[in-house]
Amino acid sequence: MTRRYAALACAAAALLVALPGAAQDKPNFSGTWKLNAAKSDYGPIPAPEKLQRTIKHSDPDLNISTTQTGQQGESTTELVYTTDGKPVTNKTPRGEVTGNAKWDGNVLVIASKREMQGAEITTNERWTLSEDGKMLTIVIKINAPQGDFEIKTVLDKQ
């Protein structure tokens, strides 16, 4: 019996030593990314005709520049976050956006809110990077006065 408990204790200790190292391997999202429309799903809203995102990520600093073309023309948005959960306010062409970014394991979560035409819109983004680092998937849950919906943006690294 004692050997069995000793073996279990060793296995548990080995697992605990291995887990912290695995938890520290956060993805780096740096690079230039372009929309993969075939793999994306914009649900009830029109997908952009073009979308390019340039990300500079040196944890905890995250700088995001997005240029997209769609039904309302071309727009560029610059956002700055830190991945430690500190609240930030970004100024965009459509007004101020407040939010924060933080890690949930190896997934980056960005929660934000803005006011548009007197109504509050909240978003919850979950960013995941493919194992080869060539595909960024962003699932966005949106809560708006028109209802709740989800979109999925898939970006390919250039």
Side-chain angles (χ1 to χ4, degrees):
M1 265 313 232
T2 309
R3 286 185 190 184
R4 181 174 171 193
Y5 288 122
L8 281 172
C10 287
L15 183 61
L16 290 175
V17 169
L19 286 177
Q24 293 175 359
D25 293 338
K26 304 286 188 244
N28 186 309
F29 298 109
S30 294
T32 300
W33 303 85
K34 286 192 179 176
L35 177 67
N36 183 327
K39 292 184 179 178
S40 298
D41 181 1
Y42 279 77
I45 62 173
E49 295 165 20
K50 293 181 183 177
L51 185 146
Q52 180 171 306
R53 182 168 281 179
T54 301
I55 301 170
K56 294 177 184 170
H57 180 198
S58 179
D59 218 32
D61 299 320
L62 181 68
N63 297 299
I64 308 161
S65 176
T66 305
T67 300
Q68 66 180 16
T69 305
Q71 292 180 342
Q72 298 178 349
E74 184 174 291
S75 67
T76 299
T77 305
E78 305 283 339
L79 302 172
V80 176
Y81 292 97
T82 57
T83 60
D84 55 11
K86 291 180 184 171
V88 298
T89 300
N90 286 290
K91 295 181 191 285
T92 73
R94 295 187 178 157
E96 288 188 351
V97 177
T98 59
N100 65 37
K102 60 184 176 183
W103 291 106
D104 179 9
N106 289 338
V107 176
L108 183 65
V109 177
I110 300 176
S112 62
K113 65 180 174 178
R114 74 174 66 208
E115 190 174 306
M116 288 184 72
Q117 301 173 345
E120 185 175 273
I121 298 172
T122 60
T123 60
N124 187 316
E125 303 182 23
R126 294 186 62 81
W127 291 28
T128 56
L129 193 62
S130 63
E131 283 189 31
D132 64 4
K134 296 182 180 186
M135 188 178 350
L136 170 58
T137 302
I138 304 172
V139 176
I140 308 170
K141 292 184 179 180
I142 301 169
N143 178 281
Q146 300 82 1
D148 299 344
F149 59 97
E150 184 174 287
I151 62 175
K152 179 173 81 169
T153 302
V154 177
L155 304 164
D156 293 324
K157 194 165 195 177
Q158 302 302 295

